[in-house]
Amino acid sequence: MIFQPVLNILLLILLFAPVAAVAVWMLVRGHPSTGSGTGLWAMRLVMLLACFAMLLRPGIPGGATETLATDTDIVIVLDTTASIVAEDWDGDEPRLDGARADVQAIVDEYPGARFALITFAGAAEQRLPLTTDTTALMSSLEVLRPEVTSRSRGSSIGIAHTMLQETLAGAAESAPDRSRMVFYLGDGEQTVSSDPESFSRSARYIDGGAVLGYGTAEGGPMKITSGSFSGDQGYIDYQGQPAMSVIDETNLQTIADDLAVPLQVRSADAAIDLPAAPTTTTNYAASGSVGNVIELYWVFALIIVLLLGVELARAAMLTAQLRGLAFRGGDA
């Protein structure tokens, strides 16, 4: 038997001991005529002990599983211009849905890796520094929204080049033994008159990754985003017609060449093809074995539920009796 308490064991004792003392005292001095029968307080004491045992999270060993360690730093670079919500993913869904699903696939593919998130629109922004907290990464993506339409002045698909290089250089300096991968997610649309900046200065830090392209040649309409919760604002217009965002594979291929990684144009009906993590930093030995535990807390939770059911049934009976007495008293 092993225990994995949800709180420090001393703190649990401090919380439960006074209540248990009261229950034992009432159990010893209780009398049926006062409504504090020994059976009732014995049941309450059992419920308290069951709650204490449940919080100790008892379990029994259930074997061991070898886990994979991916000692890799992965930087996600994500387009958050208005075009990321263009509705041509899986029919008429926003491209951001596909990007979120692909990031989840990346997280699943490289267990144990550290992830950073950089987004770009009118400017680049580091949303999340390198961390193993993948829940924080996916939560950031869930609340992510494109730039406010009224503030958009066009954007460059290479505006994040400096921030990416700095992030990779910092990772290489602090942990030179770890490999580094970059995944760039966007549609390749350059909406400013200048040429895109080059990512080539980041290539020397990278051991793998991919450029993931979203969108179609036919394009998709883009909804207006206002940054408020005022509901559907309609679609962005261009010369009286819905503005259409189309993928630019040529620009995406240029970014892929700069980073020395492959380009993969994504669609909902095709599974993402992710490269293997560098073998020099991927192994099983480093992570060892993690013991599986068969949890037993549910047994005590079931006991608590059953005893609460008895308490509720008793309370319902007492309520019915009191109402009956009140009804008869009114008749008198």
Side-chain angles (χ1 to χ4, degrees):
M1 181 74 71
I2 61 175
F3 298 92
Q4 303 175 81
V6 298
L7 295 174
N8 184 282
I9 185 66
L10 294 178
L11 181 58
L12 287 176
I13 292 174
L14 288 174
L15 290 173
F16 279 85
V19 184
V22 172
V24 171
W25 184 66
M26 294 298 296
L27 178 62
V28 171
R29 69 178 295 274
H31 191 276
S33 62
T34 65
S36 302
T38 56
L40 178 61
W41 280 101
M43 182 185 69
R44 290 171 177 169
L45 181 60
V46 171
M47 189 187 308
L48 183 68
L49 294 175
C51 186
F52 180 79
M54 181 181 69
L55 294 178
L56 289 178
R57 285 188 63 199
I60 56 177
T65 301
E66 197 171 38
T67 58
L68 178 65
T70 308
D71 295 329
T72 303
D73 292 333
I74 298 176
V75 183
I76 308 291
V77 183
L78 176 63
D79 181 351
T80 54
T81 60
S83 62
I84 197 62
V85 291
E87 297 175 348
D88 57 359
W89 172 265
D90 195 18
D92 58 359
E93 296 301 314
R95 295 171 186 169
L96 186 55
D97 287 358
R100 288 184 179 126
D102 285 346
V103 172
Q104 182 64 66
I106 292 170
V107 168
D108 295 340
E109 182 69 17
Y110 308 106
R114 296 194 304 177
F115 293 89
L117 176 63
I118 296 173
T119 63
F120 67 91
E125 180 180 354
Q126 186 174 64
R127 302 273 184 166
L128 193 70
L130 283 167
T131 178
T132 56
D133 188 352
T134 56
T135 300
L137 172 64
M138 297 312 300
S139 296
S140 297
L141 289 173
E142 285 301 320
V143 300
L144 197 61
R145 295 294 180 269
E147 64 177 341
V148 175
T149 305
S150 61
R151 299 176 187 169
S152 177
R153 298 296 182 268
S155 61
S156 174
I157 58 175
I159 199 170
H161 74 290
T162 300
M163 184 169 289
L164 175 61
Q165 181 191 3
E166 292 173 350
T167 301
L168 293 170
E173 182 178 356
S174 63
D177 55 327
R178 296 176 68 89
S179 60
R180 289 163 295 280
M181 303 178 76
V182 171
F183 291 91
Y184 178 103
L185 292 74
D187 53 41
E189 274 195 309
Q190 181 77 357
T191 56
V192 291
S193 58
S194 59
D195 293 331
E197 300 86 344
S198 174
F199 284 93
S200 58
R201 288 188 298 174
S202 296
R204 63 192 180 100
Y205 300 108
I206 299 173
D207 300 298
V211 171
L212 305 177
Y214 300 86
T216 60
E218 297 77 17
M222 299 167 285
K223 282 189 174 179
I224 296 172
T225 54
S226 63
S228 67
F229 298 95
S230 55
D232 193 343
Q233 301 287 315
Y235 290 86
I236 300 174
D237 285 340
Y238 178 71
Q239 296 182 348
Q241 299 293 328
M244 303 294 283
S245 170
V246 298
I247 189 172
D248 191 325
E249 293 188 38
T250 301
N251 281 343
L252 291 173
Q253 185 61 61
T254 299
I255 295 173
D257 293 340
D258 288 345
L259 295 173
V261 298
L263 166 65
Q264 185 177 166
V265 177
R266 297 291 298 119
S267 64
D269 56 359
I272 189 171
D273 183 17
L274 295 173
T279 56
T280 55
T281 55
T282 304
N283 57 73
Y284 288 90
S287 57
S289 296
V290 176
N292 291 332
V293 177
I294 300 175
E295 300 273 9
L296 298 178
Y297 70 88
W298 62 271
V299 176
F300 300 99
L302 182 60
I303 293 173
I304 294 170
V305 170
L306 292 175
L307 294 178
L308 281 175
V310 174
E311 284 274 19
L312 290 173
R314 177 178 174 276
M317 291 175 60
L318 290 175
T319 301
Q321 291 174 0
L322 290 172
R323 287 180 176 176
L325 290 173
F327 180 75
R328 287 195 293 272
D331 290 344

